[in-house]
Amino acid sequence: VTPACLLACVCVCLQFKEKSAKLGDQESVGVGLFDYPVLMAADILLYQAGKVPVGEDQRQHLELTRDIARRFNDMYAKKAKRDMKPFREPEALFVKEGARVMSLL
């Protein structure tokens, strides 16, 4: 999983598109918009979460997490031990409370 691959995945996320459209260009978007999905994926994969409670606005972040896990497992799992994958592919657990957090401020 290369940094360029992660950057390409994050650039197609809906939140990035919405924020860059508001600001007028992609260069004005803060680094936090790139970092958050990757850090979320790292937390989920590190703790081997099976089900992750997510809201509507985090669905794409979970898909990014699943993509990272799948690619890593395909690249680095031993061929003889394909059933023993390093990372679990988490499933979404959708909740009604806090389904879409518009702002933390």
Side-chain angles (χ1 to χ4, degrees):
V1 181
T2 65
C5 173
L6 290 175
L7 183 62
C9 291
V10 172
C11 283
V12 299
C13 285
L14 185 60
Q15 289 178 338
F16 176 79
K17 288 181 178 180
E18 288 175 355
K19 188 69 130 182
S20 62
K22 271 188 194 175
L23 296 174
D25 64 352
Q26 292 183 352
E27 294 176 9
S28 299
V29 177
V31 73
L33 214 53
F34 288 109
D35 287 350
Y36 178 74
V38 177
L39 292 174
M40 181 179 166
D43 282 342
I44 293 168
L45 295 174
L46 176 68
Y47 291 104
Q48 297 287 326
K51 291 190 184 247
V52 180
V54 293
E56 175 187 327
D57 57 334
Q58 294 176 329
R59 182 180 306 207
Q60 287 184 323
H61 299 168
L62 189 62
E63 287 304 316
L64 174 66
T65 303
R66 292 172 56 82
D67 287 344
I68 292 170
R70 193 174 300 120
R71 288 179 185 183
F72 188 91
N73 290 340
D74 288 345
M75 289 173 60
Y76 297 110
K78 302 281 187 210
K79 291 187 192 239
K81 298 181 182 179
R82 284 285 180 194
D83 57 332
M84 296 181 61
K85 297 179 179 180
F87 293 122
R88 292 172 77 172
E89 288 185 33
E91 296 178 19
L93 177 65
F94 295 105
V95 293
K96 288 190 175 200
E97 301 84 29
R100 185 167 174 96
V101 178
M102 299 306 287
S103 176
L104 298 176
L105 300 175

